[in-house]
């Protein structure tokens, strides 16, 4: 080590490269690219649900709608109808269930629902069960418990 002004500095061996900024070769400075405008965003393509899924949820929606109209006081029927309506709204990206049902019918095609009226149930044939779990019988609100 050598002493300069009373400070001992290390002596570098011959051929050694010092790792300081002064000994590095200067790189050429790259010019800053001119600001280019951002490309225009592409038109978003809406995702479409699978037709079979829409048909299945729309059929469930219609079945629960009929049951809700037949049994307006039944809370279980109403909750299941609302859950199915919500699912249909999410599938069709609509705010109301009526709009979602209309959009689903339009998406599936006009021929699917046209001319398909709901026939009244035959007297000797039981009404088909709604989709999902079987419903529990619900007593009327003014019913008095027995025993």
């Amino acid at each position: 080590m050598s002493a300069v002004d009373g400070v001992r500095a290390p002596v570098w061996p011959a051929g050694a490269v010092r790792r300081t900024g002064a000994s590095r070769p200067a790189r050429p400075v790259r010019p800053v690219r001119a600001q280019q405008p951002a490309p225009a965003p592409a038109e978003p393509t809406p995702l479409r649900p699978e037709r079979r899924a829409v048909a299945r949820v729309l059929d469930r929606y219609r079945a629960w709608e009929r049951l809700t109209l037949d049994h307006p006081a039944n809370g279980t029927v109403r909750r299941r109808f609302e859950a199915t309506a919500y699912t249909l709204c999410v599938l069709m990206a609509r705010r109301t269930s009526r709009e979602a049902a209309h959009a689903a019918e339009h998406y599936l095609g006009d021929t699917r629902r046209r001319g398909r009226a709901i026939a009244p149930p035959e007297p000797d044939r039981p009404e088909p069960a709604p989709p999902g779990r079987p419903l529990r019988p619900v007593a009327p609100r003014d019913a008095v418990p027995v025993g």
Side-chain angles (χ1 to χ4, degrees):
M1 297 189 125
S2 64
V4 177
D5 295 331
V7 177
R8 296 174 59 106
V11 178
W12 298 95
V17 179
R18 292 176 56 190
R19 303 274 184 206
T20 63
S23 64
R24 290 189 187 151
R27 291 188 208 162
V29 179
R30 287 186 286 165
V32 176
R33 291 186 202 165
Q35 286 286 19
Q36 297 175 357
E43 189 65 28
T45 305
L47 295 176
R48 294 289 180 180
E50 185 181 347
R51 287 185 182 277
R52 284 181 285 175
V54 173
R56 188 172 52 245
V57 173
L58 183 61
D59 287 341
R60 271 194 210 140
Y61 173 81
R62 293 294 182 207
W64 284 115
E65 183 179 37
R66 283 191 300 270
L67 277 173
T68 303
L69 292 173
D70 292 343
H71 308 286
N74 191 327
T76 304
V77 171
R78 181 166 296 283
R79 280 191 301 275
R80 289 190 182 171
F81 171 64
E82 289 172 356
T84 306
Y86 175 79
T87 303
L88 189 63
C89 288
V90 170
L91 267 177
M92 299 311 298
R94 296 291 192 265
R95 296 187 75 158
T96 65
S97 59
R98 193 171 298 271
E99 289 175 6
H102 179 70
E105 288 173 352
H106 180 71
Y107 178 62
L108 294 173
D110 294 335
T111 59
R112 183 172 188 275
R113 290 285 173 192
R114 189 176 288 165
R116 229 177 122 182
I118 300 171
E122 299 172 13
D124 56 335
R125 187 172 180 190
E127 189 172 326
R133 298 184 308 206
L135 299 177
R136 294 181 304 167
V138 177
R141 291 181 187 226
D142 57 348
V144 178
V146 177

